[in-house]
Amino acid sequence: MNETPAKVVAIIPARYHSNRYEGKPLALIAGKSMIQHVVERAWQAKILSRVVVATDDERIAEVVTGFGGEVVMTRSDHVSGTDRLAEAAELLHIEEHSVVVNIQGDQPLFPPEVIEQVADPLLEDPALPMSTLIYKIVRPEEISDPNHVKTVFDCDKNALYFSRSPVPFQRNPEEKVQPTYYKHLGFYAYRKGFLLTFVALPEGEWERFEKLEQLRALEYGYRVRVVLTDHDSIEVDTARDAQRVEKMIQSNEI
């Protein structure tokens, strides 16, 4: 007897308060709030059965419902977006074997096809708990930039480590062959059951130093499958970033 295919649900954590850009989800870009751009792009992914914004702010909730989006109200004391994601998955009564895709609310230009790319490994392997996207670094300055997280992985595309430092380190820089560096992109897919397990785990030691949540899964022995994508991500962290995105939209660069 064939098993029912796992459903894929996208949840977009969104908070109003930010040290770098207050009210970022509601920033207007080409006449729409940033959160609307993100939701509308997610809707274009045919693999999704549901797209939900998870927030603790009534202003964000009002805007989302205003353009016809679905929203779930979560607690305001979450330390991370993953914690908010897990609470939302519970409140939405998502089934244990379903796949939950975490879409960052500050990437208004993401290609919808990356959702299928990050979810596919979990749909193909029911035992896999988690997957995420990586991108081959093409701008040399990103290799040493701690804001661009580097990734190394094994022959089966399972992550070995994530770091803000350049990994691998080239011992002999005079060698003609240079290492290939891959950066981590902030798209995750979780088995719903594992998502609840993940947020219940204590903070890991390497996670604490690097300030990278995904290291927690590796420290506790869980596989994290990395998926190489051809699409880089453009994150909006400042008002200047939002202006850059607006210019790209207006000039049809996307």
Side-chain angles (χ1 to χ4, degrees), residues 6-13 47-54 72 81-104 114-123 128-133 186-199:
K7 292 181 179 179
V8 183
V9 178
I11 300 179
I12 308 167
I47 195 174
L48 294 176
S49 62
R50 200 172 182 184
V51 177
V52 186
V53 174
V72 59
T82 310
D83 293 316
R84 192 180 309 282
L85 190 80
E87 185 196 358
E90 283 282 77
L91 292 172
L92 295 169
H93 303 293
I94 295 172
E95 298 174 352
E96 291 296 299
H97 70 284
S98 293
V99 175
V100 179
V101 177
N102 183 354
I103 299 177
Q104 303 295 325
V114 302
I115 296 176
E116 185 169 348
Q117 291 175 352
V118 75
D120 270 349
L122 274 69
L123 297 176
L128 190 66
M130 177 178 174
S131 60
T132 192
L133 294 182
F187 286 83
Y188 294 95
Y190 304 88
R191 192 82 52 200
K192 193 267 187 138
F194 172 71
L195 178 58
L196 302 184
T197 298
F198 179 82
V199 297

Side-chain angles (χ1 to χ4, degrees), residues 23-43:
K24 182 166 63 171
L26 303 185
L28 286 180
I29 300 175
K32 297 179 183 178
S33 65
M34 181 157 62
I35 194 65
Q36 182 172 352
H37 282 285
V38 176
V39 170
E40 289 180 349
R41 283 189 170 264
W43 278 340

Side-chain angles (χ1 to χ4, degrees), residues 48-89:
L48 294 176
S49 62
R50 200 172 182 184
V51 177
V52 186
V53 174
T55 187
D56 62 350
D57 192 278
E58 292 289 350
R59 290 164 291 191
I60 294 175
E62 184 177 347
V63 167
V64 173
T65 55
F67 63 73
E70 182 179 2
V71 67
V72 59
M73 298 301 296
T74 57
R75 302 198 317 270
S76 59
D77 60 348
H78 288 304
V79 177
S80 71
T82 310
D83 293 316
R84 192 180 309 282
L85 190 80
E87 185 196 358

